[in-house]
């Protein structure tokens, strides 16, 4: 379990920089230390203590497994039972000790939902700890700090972090009411470099069923208020999603319920009726406060919306926030419930990476900020292309240094920098099998230079799903620019380049396998500068999987297409090949209409590697 144990000495000795909020003079209360598995903060800047032992729950878990709803409820109950009236404070879960954290990692502050415990990221601690310096806000059950007080507390911490690391962003991950706190802090600090991740934000509270239910809460005796499914879902989300730690996928609902009943006894400690009433009133205030100030939010914002949220209209609210906020992306998860952070199949780190919102400086660096795909992300990419791989059964051939062509990738160089240059098939159908196939076979991670359309926020709204391009970006795609090309080669990466670009991938009828390359192969100059090995390759099989029904020449004849074309290519997309002439200059994006047919096979053939080391002067003369 991510919330690891610590010795008793780890509670009060010198810790990290984030400080507990002090009570006002004359009203200072004695603060009971947090449970033994939480490292609290103090004034010292010495390294945080490392855990000395494991809790019984963590020791019982299988290696590599993630905690689920049961572990969360039991750990939160243990935390809430302590007689602690406040004030709120930050803690760093010892699962986030950061032994494998990348250099220059930004700070991530987690702002919990209505429970206030701060363990809502329990399934994500280990992943996030490699990318961020993670701190969680704990609001004791009996604490009655107002919404304004919480906003000011988080705001002070943000300013402290900005002073400590002015060149790094601060991430605020807020859930329901925590999302309201994050938005309020951003509205009050317009010049701060913030990245907001809002999970089913409570800004829609006035349109939810909870507002009417909260009025009836006074009539329900304690602890029977927890028998109301809507309030129970504040902790557990969609009830059918609660079996994350129960063996057997085919259990009946009654079996799932009985398996979780031992854990549900902690709910009364986490959410007594008085605390729910207080936080319902706070949520009403928070939603009104934030909705009147959305125009002031300038921060990058990612909204995570559950399509099966029974408490809040999260899907509709995500669309509303996207229209109200200047820099906002949304990710819809149709089958997830209110407590998506505790549900299987959702990974917060993957969502942040896929939206290109992970950065360690003021501007996103698609090369230096990139994190390679995890095994889970690779499997997801492979599964995404499973049908295409099954239908086409790709064959990969490579060329040895003596010119012999062999099946497999024995002729592929194993050390970078390497530049793979090839022909773009229709719609880029070759990309998935190519990148995942090479990675699985050789361990070589290919970074593709992609059209800026794949990275533009407005273009996401034109796709069937706003996360349509997340997988290519997670697998290493970067916008095709000279700077990114230079950085990739300087980092000795394997770079994938299609000189024909969008014009080649979106060719017309009768242009199958036709190259649309520039007259001057400018990539040769860049490759020779770094002594990169150039590997030309080709792919065949496109004509054996589909027929083109409508191409661009057909679409422009439709009376309504002009408006569609303008919408697709607006939004400040970078125009490519502006210095070229003829068809190669046309790099606009447009749809094509295809009809499938009985598929054939894909054949990839990688040519003989071309060495450029020591030949820089020669290539300059040729060009």
């Amino acid at each position: 379990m991510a919330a690891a144990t610590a010795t008793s000495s780890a509670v009060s000795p010198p810790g990290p920089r984030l400080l507990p909020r002090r009570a006002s003079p004359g009203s200072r209360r004695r603060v009971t230390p947090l449970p033994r598995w939480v490292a609290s903060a103090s004034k010292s800047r010495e390294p945080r203590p490392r855990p000395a032992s494991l809790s019984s729950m963590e020791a019982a878990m299988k290696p590599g497994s993630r905690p689920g709803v049961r572990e969360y409820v039991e750990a939160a109950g243990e935390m809430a039972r302590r007689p602690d009236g406040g004030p709120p404070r930050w803690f760093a879960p010892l699962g986030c000790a950061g032994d494998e954290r990348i250099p220059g990692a930004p700070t991530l502050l987690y702002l919990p939902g209505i429970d206030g415990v701060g363990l809502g990221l329990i399934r994500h601690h280990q992943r996030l700890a490699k990318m961020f310096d993670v701190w969680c806000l704990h609001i004791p059950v009996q604490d009655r700090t107002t919404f304004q007080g919480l906003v000011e507390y988080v705001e002070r911490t943000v300013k402290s972090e900005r002073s400590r690391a002015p060149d790094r962003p601060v991430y605020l991950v807020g859930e329901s009411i925590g999302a309201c706190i994050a938005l309020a802090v951003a509205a009050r600090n317009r010049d701060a470099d913030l990245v907001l991740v809002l999970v089913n934000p409570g800004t829609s509270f006035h349109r939810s069923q909870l507002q009417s239910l909260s009025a009836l809460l006074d009539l329900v005796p304690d602890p029977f208020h927890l028998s109301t499914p809507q309030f129970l879902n504040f902790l557990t989300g969609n009830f059918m999603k609660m079996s994350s730690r129960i063996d057997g996928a085919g259990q009946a609902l009654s079996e799932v319920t009985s398996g979780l009943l031992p854990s549900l006894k902690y709910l009364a400690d986490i959410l007594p009726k008085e605390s729910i009433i207080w936080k319902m009133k706070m949520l009403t205030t928070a939603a009104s406060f934030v909705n009147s100030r959305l125009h002031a939010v300038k921060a990058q914002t990612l909204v995570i919306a559950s399509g099966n949220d029974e408490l809040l209209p999260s899907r509709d609210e995500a669309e509303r926030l996207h229209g109200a906020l200047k820099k906002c992306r949304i990710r819809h998860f149709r089958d997830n419930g209110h407590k998506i952070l505790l549900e299987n199949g959702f990974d917060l780190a993957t969502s942040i990476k896929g939206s290109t919102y992970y950065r360690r400086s003021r501007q996103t660096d698609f090369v230096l900020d990139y994190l390679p795909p995890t095994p889970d992300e690779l499997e997801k990419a492979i599964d995404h292309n499973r049908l295409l791989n099954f239908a086409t059964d790709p064959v990969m051939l490579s060329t040895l240094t003596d010119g012999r062509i062999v099946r497999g990738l024995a002729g592929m160089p194993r050390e970078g920098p390497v530049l793979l240059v090839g022909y773009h098939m229709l719609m880029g159908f070759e990309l998935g099998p190519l990148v995942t196939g090479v990675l699985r076979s050789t361990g070589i991670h290919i970074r593709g230079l992609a059209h800026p359309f794949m990275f533009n926020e407005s273009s996401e709204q034109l796709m069937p799903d706003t996360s349509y391009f997340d997988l290519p970006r997670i697998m290493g795609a970067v916008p095709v620019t000279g700077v990114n090309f230079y950085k990739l080669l300087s980092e000795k990466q394997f770079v994938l380049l299609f000189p024909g670009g969008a014009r080649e991938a979106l060719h017309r009828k009768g242009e199958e396998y036709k190259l649309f390359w520039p007259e001057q192969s400018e990539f040769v100059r860049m490759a020779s500068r770094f002594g990169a090995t150039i590997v030309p390759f080709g792919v065949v099989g496109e004509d054996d999987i589909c027929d083109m029904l409508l191409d661009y020449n057909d679409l422009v004849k439709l009376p309504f297409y002009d408006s569609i074309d303008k919408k697709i290519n607006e939004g400040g997309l970078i125009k490519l090949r502006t210095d070229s002439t003829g068809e190669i200059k046309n790099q606009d994006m447009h749809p094509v209409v295809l009809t499938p047919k009985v598929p054939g096979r894909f054949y990839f053939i990688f040519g003989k590697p071309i060495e450029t080391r020591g030949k820089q002067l020669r290539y300059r003369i040729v060009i």
Side-chain angles (χ1 to χ4, degrees):
M1 159 177 192
T5 57
T7 60
S8 58
S9 62
V11 174
S12 56
R17 61 195 169 277
L18 295 172
L19 308 180
R21 182 167 63 86
R22 292 182 178 274
S24 59
S27 62
R28 181 175 299 176
R29 294 170 288 182
R30 182 177 180 182
V31 179
T32 305
L34 293 177
R36 64 184 185 279
W37 36 263
V38 178
S40 64
S42 71
K43 295 182 180 180
S44 173
R45 296 180 182 271
E46 296 181 13
R48 69 187 67 170
R50 297 184 64 180
S53 60
L54 297 176
S55 68
S56 57
M57 277 192 294
E58 186 180 29
M61 288 180 60
K62 298 179 181 179
S65 62
R66 289 188 181 186
V69 172
R70 175 181 295 172
E71 288 77 15
Y72 165 75
V73 172
E74 293 180 1
E78 178 184 348
M79 198 171 185
R81 283 198 307 273
R82 300 178 65 85
D84 185 357
R89 81 293 305 269
W90 299 104
F91 69 90
L94 294 185
C96 299
D99 296 336
E100 301 178 8
R101 185 178 302 136
I102 61 177
T107 298
L108 184 149
L109 305 178
Y110 170 64
L111 311 177
I114 197 170
D115 62 286
V117 177
L119 292 176
L121 296 180
I122 192 170
R123 296 190 69 252
H124 309 271
H125 284 161
Q126 294 181 353
R127 281 288 314 277
L128 294 175
K130 299 177 182 179
M131 303 165 54
F132 301 99
D133 186 7
V134 179
W135 291 87
C136 304
L137 181 63
H138 172 66
I139 306 173
V141 172
Q142 302 302 323
D143 180 77
R144 294 298 180 260
T145 302
T146 64
F147 175 73
Q148 182 78 10
L150 293 174
V151 171
E152 292 174 354
Y153 178 42
V154 175
E155 184 179 52
R156 287 196 296 270
T157 305
V158 167
K159 291 180 178 179
S160 174
E161 288 300 289
R162 289 185 63 201
S163 176
R164 183 189 66 85
D167 295 332
R168 301 179 196 170
V170 177
Y171 283 72
L172 299 180
V173 177
E175 186 178 8
S176 61
I177 192 172
C180 295
I181 297 174
L183 285 167
V185 171
R188 289 161 55 105
N189 297 268
R190 303 185 188 186
D191 297 330
D193 188 6
L194 300 175
V195 180
L196 311 184
V197 182
L198 312 179
V199 183
N200 295 327
T203 48
S204 63
F205 179 71
H206 61 285
R207 292 185 285 115
S208 71
Q209 58 178 313
L210 285 175
Q211 187 176 34
S212 58
L213 287 171
S214 62
L216 303 175
L217 191 58
D218 283 329
L219 305 177
V220 182
D222 194 356
F224 294 104
H225 64 286
L226 291 177
S227 62
T228 305
Q230 288 79 3
F231 290 112
L232 183 62
N233 280 344
F234 260 121
L235 287 176
T236 58
N238 188 330
F239 203 74
M240 292 301 293
K241 295 279 186 178
M242 293 172 56
S243 58
S244 58
R245 294 289 299 150
I246 299 177
D247 296 330
Q251 287 182 302
L253 177 60
S254 59
E255 295 174 337
V256 173
T257 305
S258 61
L260 285 169
L261 284 178
S263 297
L264 298 182
K265 65 181 181 180
Y266 296 98
L267 294 180
D269 295 322
I270 300 171
L271 282 182
K273 188 174 73 171
E274 294 78 9
S275 295
I276 293 182
I277 294 175
W278 167 262
K279 293 184 178 181
M280 286 290 183
K281 294 178 179 178
M282 183 191 297
L283 189 52
T284 302
T285 302
S288 299
F289 181 91
V290 170
N291 283 324
S292 65
R293 293 165 174 80
L294 289 178
H295 64 278
V297 177
K298 310 299 182 184
Q300 282 184 302
T301 304
L302 174 64
V303 181
I304 305 294
S306 297
N308 199 20
D309 190 343
E310 298 178 356
L311 303 178
L312 300 171
S314 295
R315 184 175 182 86
D316 293 339
E317 181 66 4
E319 299 292 343
R320 186 183 76 90
L321 291 176
H322 179 264
L325 302 176
K326 294 184 179 299
K327 294 182 287 186
C328 180
R329 287 182 165 176
I330 55 179
R331 293 294 180 269
H332 291 293
F333 295 87
R334 182 181 59 185
D335 299 325
N336 292 89
H338 183 70
K339 297 298 288 187
I340 185 175
L341 293 174
L342 294 176
E343 296 176 6
N344 285 335
F346 174 75
D347 193 300
L348 180 60
T350 298
S351 294
I352 295 175
K353 288 167 57 179
S355 64
T356 67
Y357 271 11
Y358 182 73
R359 55 187 174 90
R360 287 174 279 173
S361 58
R362 293 185 181 276
Q363 299 294 331
T364 301
D365 190 317
F366 290 96
V367 177
L368 300 182
D369 288 336
Y370 177 72
L371 301 176
T374 63
D376 288 343
E377 290 167 348
L378 175 59
E379 286 302 317
K380 186 176 181 180
I382 294 173
D383 186 67
H384 181 74
N385 296 299
R386 195 172 302 280
L387 180 60
L388 180 62
N389 284 331
F390 175 78
T392 62
D393 193 17
V395 176
M396 292 195 176
L397 308 170
S398 60
T399 307
L400 303 178
T401 54
D402 60 5
R404 288 188 299 122
I405 298 177
V406 296
R407 184 161 181 163
L409 298 174
M412 179 77 74
R414 292 301 190 267
E415 294 183 1
V418 173
L419 177 61
L420 302 171
V421 183
Y423 161 76
H424 226 331
M425 291 178 62
L426 181 64
M427 299 291 291
F429 285 131
E430 79 284 357
L431 284 171
L434 171 61
V435 175
T436 58
V438 171
L439 183 56
R440 292 192 75 178
S441 300
T442 65
I444 295 173
H445 186 201
I446 297 174
R447 304 292 306 279
L449 295 169
H451 195 285
F453 182 86
M454 294 177 56
F455 300 85
N456 185 270
E457 293 183 13
S458 61
S459 66
E460 293 183 347
Q461 303 305 308
L462 303 174
M463 307 309 295
D465 188 340
T466 55
S467 63
Y468 190 83
F469 294 123
D470 282 13
L471 271 179
R473 296 188 292 221
I474 289 173
M475 293 303 297
V478 302
V480 54
T481 66
V483 173
N484 287 335
F485 191 18
Y486 180 96
K487 288 181 178 179
L488 287 171
L489 291 177
S490 66
E491 294 290 321
K492 298 184 177 181
Q493 299 282 334
F494 282 69
V495 185
L496 177 62
L497 174 66
F498 296 98
R503 181 61 182 88
E504 198 169 75
L506 299 174
H507 58 250
R508 284 44 157 171
K509 296 176 182 177
E511 294 178 346
E512 293 82 2
Y513 302 113
K514 180 180 179 180
L515 296 181
F516 290 90
W517 286 21
E519 295 180 1
Q520 291 185 328
S521 301
E522 67 274 15
F523 62 84
V524 178
R525 185 191 302 273
M526 186 74 77
S528 64
R529 177 169 184 172
F530 293 95
T533 301
I534 300 176
V535 180
F537 73 93
V539 192
V540 296
E542 162 194 5
D543 291 333
D544 295 324
I545 63 172
C546 63
D547 286 321
M548 186 178 296
L549 182 62
L550 297 176
D551 65 5
Y552 180 76
N553 295 330
D554 298 317
L555 294 174
V556 294
K557 298 176 183 178
L558 301 177
F560 57 83
Y561 182 73
D562 286 347
S563 58
I564 298 177
D565 184 64
K566 182 179 179 180
K567 184 68 175 178
I568 292 175
N569 291 285
E570 71 177 1
L573 291 178
I574 298 174
K575 295 294 184 180
L576 305 178
R577 308 292 191 191
T578 55
D579 56 346
S580 300
T581 60
E583 285 294 324
I584 187 61
K585 186 176 181 179
N586 178 14
Q587 293 288 321
D588 287 344
M589 304 298 290
H590 61 83
V592 294
V593 180
L594 308 175
T595 57
K597 61 182 181 181
V598 178
R601 301 189 77 171
F602 278 0
Y603 290 89
F604 295 81
I605 180 166
F606 297 90
K608 183 178 179 180
I610 303 171
E611 297 287 346
T612 67
R613 290 182 180 87
K615 301 177 182 179
Q616 292 88 338
L617 181 60
R618 173 187 171 188
Y619 282 110
R620 288 195 185 100
I621 294 173
V622 171
I623 294 175

